[in-house]
Amino acid sequence: MLRRRSFWIAAAAVAYTAFAALRASGGHGPAWLALLGLPALLALGFRWVERPPRGEDRIEPAARSAAALCLTGAAMLAAARSGPTGLALIALGNLGAAMASMAALVGLARIAGLGGLLEPPPSTRRLDAAAFASLFWTVAVALPAVSAVAPARAEGLDPLLVHYATSAASLGSLTVTLVALARLRIARRLELGVADRVEAALLLSATALAVGVAAAFVGVASPEAIMPVTSAIAAVCVAFCTVAADAAQVSRALRLTLALAALSTPPALLAVYAVHEAPRGDLGLRGAPQSSIGVAVFAACAICALAGLAAPALARRFAPEGARWLGAFDAATRAAMTPEPEAALETALSALREASDAAMAGQAPPALYLLSPPERVTVDRAGYARTEPAQVPARLIELAQVEPERVLRVEAAEAVEVRRPEVRPLLAWLAERDVGVVALVNDAEGPIGALAIPRGRRASPMTLEEVNGLRALADRLGAVIAVSAMLSGSRGREVAARREAEERAREVARLERAVAQSAGRFRAIAALLARPARAAAYSPAARAALEQLERLGEAGGPVTLLTAPGVDAVAWGAVVHLSSARAAGPLAIVDGAAPAPEAFAQAFAQARGAAPERGGAAPVAGDDGTPRALALWRDPDSSPIEAARGGTLLILDAQALSAEVQSYLGAALPDDVGLVVAVPQTVDALVATGQMSERLADRLGDRAVALPPLASRAEDLRALALDHLARIGVRLRGRPFGLDLRALQAVLDHPWPGNDAEMGAVLLRAALVAEGDVIGDKELSAIGFASQAAPSERPEGAWSEPRRPRRRRASKVG
């Protein structure tokens, strides 16, 4: 709001001056253009000096206000010169020139630096120059103003005094401006940005003064007319230098302006002089015709146009002493664009090395110091990178972090070493390596290195333009190092991942072999357990039972085995396991009728590394109050369910388990464990008598198979007996036993109420008393074996298959 109000006040002053010029000219002439155009141009000027909408603003508000006032004064001078010469307009014009000059000096005292080690001296912020210049302009404004307002009092005043006062004020303010600029340049020559702005303002003001004096000398206009304009132009140049957003841009504009002035001013002034000195008669200067004057003017215009084309090339000649580093920084930055990080680093350092060798032969080459690992990277004359261990002082990184553009200059550190003793060791380290400037190299995480440029024999301070170029190079090197580190880390991770993948593959192969071996062992054990059921399965009852068990095993559900006393349920349960999809898994067998049902769990826990129970009898309850057997079934380290993971759990005499364990099995048995139970009666009969939990009975369902007793397997007795004798003989004497015909007939006639257990016991006892390798009636009689004609009664519900008549055999058995 305040800046908007200031604009309207300034626009009103300019419009008033233009209106006065228009009134003095009788409503004709260029005053109309001043009245319409100058307020619009002033609005653009105010907008330019406003604070930028985004980014960091280092320009002080006082400097911006001074620049706005300077533009207002220059606009008032232009408006006053758009009308005829008069005392009132001269006073208004001088007032505008005075405003511009003093505002420029105020803005000059308010130039802000970029911070860092250097601080501006307090003397540079005083306004004594503006106060001194105001003395000149007070007389130059007061004389014509008094003459215009009170002509009676100024009746005896010589009119030339007004012109002398205007010229003297213009020259005096220009001189004060040049002196103030020179003093400020000496006092703040090391401050980045400030030195560039002040030097540009000094050269532009000096150029404006030289052009104004030359124009007055050749008669372009009278001194009192041209010198205030020169003073205002110099003031506008100073204001531009103080509030421009980029000090490096000011330096580039300065060089281009100097080049244009050097090329265009002489022919332009010469043409003006020729036109001014030529008489208005038939002949031109020194007898030349009037047409020659037009040719001279056209030639001057053509030369000025050509000068505009040649100005950029000449502007490069006006670059500072370190201009060679500008090209080196640009070349190194372009070289660092190489896709390969290592090559980009080498080519960038090589470009810097070439500039260093061209400027200061025999000096230390530019070097890149890396923080992790601590090493120094340089490039030799052949273009090969060399790396050596080197440690960067931590203080160097700290100081460079707070410097403008994160660039630490040796001259700035030397300027503050008296009042900052902690800088002295760092200066010694830099001097030992002939380093003139250090640019911090950062990545996304923070500092990763420092780029050191040699000092050599350079005498002038480093400019902001050079610092910006070095900053761009350091940022590019930071990106290159980050990419290199990323690729290196990616390569390391790739190698580690490949190595880990190979180790994992070997481990997987080993585990697959172990699993295959375990599966083979499990199958071999299950096949060994199932051998008694498959060794002699010739009878229809045995074959039907095998087929039914294999079919149920393939289906995958729980299977109930109805077993008569002495029938080997383990062999038939192993048949179910081998027929199922879990044949490669373990076959865990639990005897529910064992006196200590937790014995299996204890053995399984010891096999898995759990601590065995020590001392005394096993408690009847767990720590949480549950029965001991149920606690063991729930224990993940000792539960038979865990032992049967991926395989089959075979429970013999499941009705003998406690009701809690039966209920837990019916509810908590996981899907990856197959269940086979052997019971002496049907599930319904056991539930009716309270021997089986209804939950377990529901889990078992109606998939029950009655295992055939020996009484219904007449066709299998001979093979079973010979199988028993073969295994007994090999264990006892190393060769199988035989059975003569009479003994075989006794075996076939016997009903075997004890089934497999009875047959195995009878044949073992006979083998123990046998003197030869053949068992006959003598051995059977010796152990008290006598064949019974009638079968023993079966318990109700044990098995429902009818007994088949046995066939008599009279063949010899060897």
Side-chain angles (χ1 to χ4, degrees):
M1 179 62 71
L2 181 62
R3 186 61 57 85
R4 187 178 301 174
R5 186 183 306 167
S6 302
F7 166 73
W8 288 116
I9 295 174
V14 174
Y16 174 79
T17 306
F19 184 77
L22 182 64
R23 183 178 180 181
S25 61
H28 302 286
W32 278 108
L33 296 177
L35 181 61
L36 298 177
L38 286 178
L41 293 177
L42 187 63
L44 295 178
F46 267 70
R47 184 177 180 85
W48 180 75
V49 300
E50 283 282 351
R51 180 187 178 97
R54 60 180 66 89
E56 186 178 3
D57 184 21
R58 295 184 178 273
I59 308 301
E60 292 189 10
R64 295 189 180 277
S65 300
L69 183 61
C70 179
L71 293 178
T72 304
M76 288 182 61
L77 177 62
R81 292 302 174 90
S82 64
T85 302
L87 292 176
L89 292 180
I90 291 176
L92 290 174
N94 290 349
L95 177 61
M99 291 171 54
S101 298
M102 290 186 292
L105 291 173
V106 171
L108 195 63
R110 295 295 182 265
I111 295 181
L114 299 180
L117 292 173
L118 299 176
E119 297 178 359
S123 60
T124 60
R125 299 185 63 85
R126 293 200 297 262
L127 301 178
D128 51 353
F132 192 68
S134 65
L135 298 177
F136 295 103
W137 286 111
T138 300
V139 178
V141 173
L143 284 178
V146 170
S147 300
V149 174
R153 295 187 178 183
E155 185 176 353
L157 185 66
D158 189 352
L160 293 178
L161 290 178
V162 175
H163 302 313
Y164 292 154
T166 301
S167 301
S170 301
L171 289 173
S173 64
L174 277 172
T175 303
V176 170
T177 301
L178 292 176
V179 172
L181 287 170
R183 184 184 66 178
L184 191 62
R185 183 178 182 275
I186 295 173
R188 305 181 68 176
R189 61 187 294 269
L190 297 180
E191 293 186 54
L192 284 177
V194 176
D196 299 82
R197 295 177 188 274
V198 173
E199 184 174 5
L202 177 62
L203 293 178
L204 289 175
S205 299
T207 302
L209 177 60
V211 172
V213 171
F217 179 77
V218 299
V220 174
S222 59
E224 67 272 9
I226 200 169
M227 293 312 296
V229 176
T230 302
S231 176
I233 292 175
V236 171
C237 291
V238 172
F240 164 75
C241 294
T242 56
V243 299
D246 186 6
Q249 182 182 4
V250 174
S251 298
R252 290 189 291 269
L254 165 67
R255 294 196 295 268
L256 186 60
T257 303
L258 291 179
L260 286 172
L263 295 175
S264 303
T265 301
L269 292 177
L270 182 62
V272 171
Y273 177 77
V275 173
H276 181 72
E277 293 294 330
R280 301 192 181 275
D282 295 334
L283 296 177
L285 183 63
R286 293 182 181 180
Q290 287 285 345
S291 59
S292 299
I293 298 176
V295 172
V297 173
F298 178 80
C301 295
I303 292 174
C304 291
L306 293 176
L309 297 177
L314 182 60
R316 288 192 289 270
R317 299 289 183 179
F318 292 148
E321 179 187 357
R324 58 178 174 271
W325 285 110
L326 290 175
F329 294 154
D330 292 340
T333 304
R334 290 192 300 270
M337 298 293 181
T338 305
E340 179 63 32
E342 300 297 334
L345 191 61
E346 288 186 7
T347 52
L349 292 178
S350 296
L352 293 178
R353 175 66 186 255
E354 292 176 2
S356 176
D357 291 344
M360 48 196 88
Q363 302 297 322
L368 177 63
Y369 290 87
L370 300 178
L371 301 183
S372 180
E375 56 187 17
R376 176 174 179 264
V377 182
T378 57
V379 173
D380 57 16
R381 297 182 184 276
Y384 295 103
R386 297 181 179 274
T387 303
E388 57 184 359
Q391 191 76 32
V392 177
R395 188 62 179 168
L396 175 66
I397 304 299
E398 295 176 4
L399 292 179
Q401 283 276 36
V402 299
E403 281 294 286
E405 301 296 336
R406 299 192 298 276
V407 174
L408 178 63
R409 297 164 296 140
V410 171
E411 60 262 19
E414 289 174 346
V416 299
E417 65 174 329
V418 175
R419 55 188 174 88
R420 298 189 65 172
E422 71 273 11
V423 180
R424 297 170 189 169
L426 181 61
L427 282 174
W429 187 87
L430 294 173
E432 181 182 355
R433 291 157 180 79
D434 193 28
V435 176
V437 60
V438 175
L440 202 60
V441 180
N442 285 9
D443 63 358
E445 302 297 331
I448 58 175
L451 180 61
I453 304 299
R455 185 174 189 175
R457 294 182 296 273
R458 177 169 179 167
S460 62
M462 198 171 190
T463 64
L464 180 61
E465 194 172 2
E466 293 176 278
V467 170
N468 289 339
L470 182 57
R471 175 76 268 143
L473 175 59
D475 290 341
R476 181 57 192 170
L477 291 180
V480 169
I481 295 173
V483 171
S484 177
M486 187 183 304
L487 292 178
S488 177
S490 176
R491 176 61 179 171
R493 289 190 297 271
E494 180 184 358
V495 172
R498 184 180 295 114
R499 186 181 299 112
E500 184 179 0
E502 293 175 355
E503 294 177 356
R504 294 285 180 86
R506 289 193 295 268
E507 181 67 14
V508 168
R510 186 187 67 81
L511 292 176
E512 287 178 350
R513 289 193 299 270
V515 169
Q517 293 173 0
S518 299
R521 288 195 297 268
F522 289 148
R523 287 180 181 273
I525 294 172
L528 181 62
L529 294 176
R531 183 178 178 278
R534 296 183 184 275
Y538 306 108
S539 64
R543 296 188 63 83
L546 281 176
E547 293 175 359
Q548 189 175 4
L549 292 176
E550 291 174 350
R551 185 168 59 253
L552 292 176
E554 293 176 358
V559 179
T560 302
L561 305 179
L562 302 179
T563 60
V567 174
D568 186 8
V570 173
W572 300 95
V575 171
V576 177
H577 171 69
L578 291 173
S579 302
S580 68
R582 306 179 184 88
L587 175 60
I589 304 173
V590 177
D591 188 359
E598 66 274 10
F600 174 87
Q602 291 282 3
F604 178 58
Q606 294 180 20
R608 295 187 60 175
E613 297 287 343
R614 292 182 180 273
V620 297
D623 295 337
D624 57 353
T626 59
R628 180 63 179 173
L630 180 58
L632 292 175
W633 279 85
R634 287 179 173 177
D635 189 355
D637 293 329
S638 59
S639 174
I641 296 176
E642 295 298 325
R645 286 281 184 179
T648 303
L649 177 62
L650 174 59
I651 304 177
L652 305 178
D653 294 319
Q655 80 285 351
L657 296 174
S658 64
E660 293 82 2
V661 174
Q662 292 185 29
S663 180
Y664 177 75
L665 286 173
L669 192 69
D671 295 335
D672 61 341
V673 176
L675 179 62
V676 179
V677 299
V679 292
Q681 299 179 19
T682 62
V683 172
D684 294 338
L686 294 174
V687 173
T689 58
Q691 300 182 64
M692 180 171 287
S693 169
E694 292 185 0
R695 184 173 292 177
L696 179 58
D698 293 340
R699 183 67 178 262
L700 295 175
D702 57 355
R703 292 176 292 273
V705 178
L707 300 182
L710 294 184
S712 61
R713 300 174 59 187
E715 295 85 353
D716 302 334
L717 292 178
R718 176 177 176 274
L720 287 173
L722 292 178
D723 182 69
H724 279 293
L725 289 175
R727 287 187 282 115
I728 292 171
V730 170
R731 285 198 298 267
L732 294 179
R733 299 183 181 180
R735 54 186 180 277
F737 280 105
L739 192 65
D740 64 10
L741 293 179
R742 294 179 62 84
L744 175 60
Q745 188 64 44
V747 169
L748 295 177
D749 291 339
H750 190 70
W752 299 109
N755 295 299
D756 298 303
E758 183 184 359
M759 177 179 285
V762 168
L763 295 178
L764 176 59
R765 290 169 59 202
L768 291 175
V769 299
E771 297 179 357
D773 295 336
V774 178
I775 296 177
D777 284 341
K778 177 182 176 181
E779 285 77 14
L780 294 178
S781 299
I783 62 173
F785 176 76
S787 177
Q788 300 177 5
S792 60
E793 296 182 358
R794 308 187 193 107
E796 182 181 357
W799 20 268
S800 59
E801 186 175 351
R803 191 169 184 180
R804 304 175 190 271
R806 291 192 282 279
R807 295 191 298 268
R808 301 287 184 175
R809 297 183 181 177
S811 59
K812 292 183 180 180
V813 180

